[in-house]
Amino acid sequence: MEWDDDTLRRFREGTPEVLAEVYRAHAEPLARLLKAAAWRGTFTRLRNAMELENTLLETFARAFEPRTRTAYNGSRPYAHFLMGIARNVLLEQSREREVVGRDEPFEGLTESSGEDGGLAELLEDREVEALLAAFKDGLTREEHRLFELRFGEGVAQEEAATALGLTRIQVRRREFGLKSRLLGFLQSKGYLEDLETQGWSFFKRRGAR
């Protein structure tokens, strides 16, 4: 597509028609570049179709944020600009290999070991369930709805944003706030003490097993 002054102005303003045109023009070429990189041995996880799609969507989500739109000057090929964002996304994902999944934040809360592991796990699960209920009781109506959409129903951020009447970046920030508060709450009860918040996710502290 051609980046004339009017197109660039409307892109920076976030005009939906222009954003849709940019996506249509660049999504498939970017996907091909990422696939090629994966099969050359770089970021091989992108050989998985879902990983590729998630990376593609996250790249465009970041590219279409207001500050990023303003940063594009229209002279540099947009494909190169996008690829730079995609590289940053992939590097962040690489640093997050030990992350507790952002769509499965309670995975790994319990562990079972030995012959009595099943019973111990069941009792612990019940305690965690009660703690989560107590945590949710302290949320505002909007926070409670976001919690249920993202962590209960597994709804994507974009769908949650639409349901709540928010932008995706607003949902992302509120979600991070919820995760941080939840982590602090659970740690005060003796759970997840080896985790810390970093960026938008939870990481195991260095040296933690």
Side-chain angles (χ1 to χ4, degrees):
M1 61 177 290
E2 295 294 328
W3 287 93
D4 55 37
D5 290 343
D6 183 61
T7 300
L8 181 60
R9 176 184 59 79
R10 294 168 65 213
F11 173 73
R12 287 176 167 175
E13 291 172 353
T15 305
E17 294 81 0
V18 177
L19 297 183
E21 183 182 355
V22 171
Y23 182 84
R24 287 193 299 268
H26 293 280
E28 188 174 341
L30 178 60
R32 287 198 299 267
L33 286 173
L34 293 173
K35 283 181 184 177
W39 289 102
R40 285 197 304 268
T42 307
F43 301 114
T44 54
R45 65 180 178 276
L46 294 181
R47 296 177 187 177
N48 178 285
M50 185 168 291
E51 289 273 5
L52 177 64
E53 182 180 359
N54 288 341
T55 299
L56 193 68
L57 291 176
E58 180 64 20
T59 297
F60 275 98
R62 296 188 187 190
F64 287 169
E65 289 177 356
R67 185 171 60 180
T68 314
R69 295 198 311 267
T70 302
Y72 181 62
N73 60 17
S75 58
R76 179 185 179 188
Y78 194 71
H80 295 176
F81 185 77
L82 266 181
M83 196 61 186
I85 296 172
R87 273 195 294 268
N88 288 336
V89 169
L90 288 164
L91 289 171
E92 286 182 22
Q93 290 173 347
S94 294
R95 290 193 293 266
E96 293 174 3
R97 290 299 89 186
E98 294 187 32
V99 70
V100 176
R102 60 187 60 178
D103 284 329
E104 298 175 341
F106 311 128
E107 182 180 291
L109 280 177
T110 61
E111 296 179 0
S112 60
S113 59
E115 294 180 359
D116 296 328
L119 177 60
E121 184 175 28
L122 175 62
L123 292 174
E124 192 171 5
D125 281 346
R126 288 177 178 173
E127 183 175 351
V128 170
E129 185 177 347
L131 289 173
L132 292 178
F135 175 78
K136 288 189 286 186
D137 284 344
L139 300 179
T140 66
R141 181 178 299 180
E142 181 186 82
E143 289 172 338
H144 192 280
R145 181 59 177 149
L146 174 59
F147 190 98
E148 291 301 323
L149 285 170
R150 290 288 290 138
F151 307 136
E153 302 173 23
V155 170
Q157 284 183 346
E158 290 182 1
E159 293 179 43
T162 300
L164 294 169
L166 301 170
T167 65
R168 184 178 181 277
I169 192 63
Q170 286 174 324
V171 165
R172 195 179 183 198
R173 287 170 178 161
R174 284 166 171 74
E175 181 179 324
F176 175 68
L178 278 177
K179 285 181 177 181
S180 298
R181 285 160 56 192
L182 175 60
L183 180 61
F185 177 79
L186 290 176
Q187 286 178 336
S188 73
K189 305 299 181 181
Y191 288 87
L192 302 179
E193 293 177 342
D194 63 339
L195 295 184
E196 61 184 345
T197 53
Q198 181 175 334
W200 299 103
S201 304
F202 295 156
F203 283 75
K204 288 185 178 179
R205 290 197 181 98
R206 291 186 177 181
R209 294 183 178 179

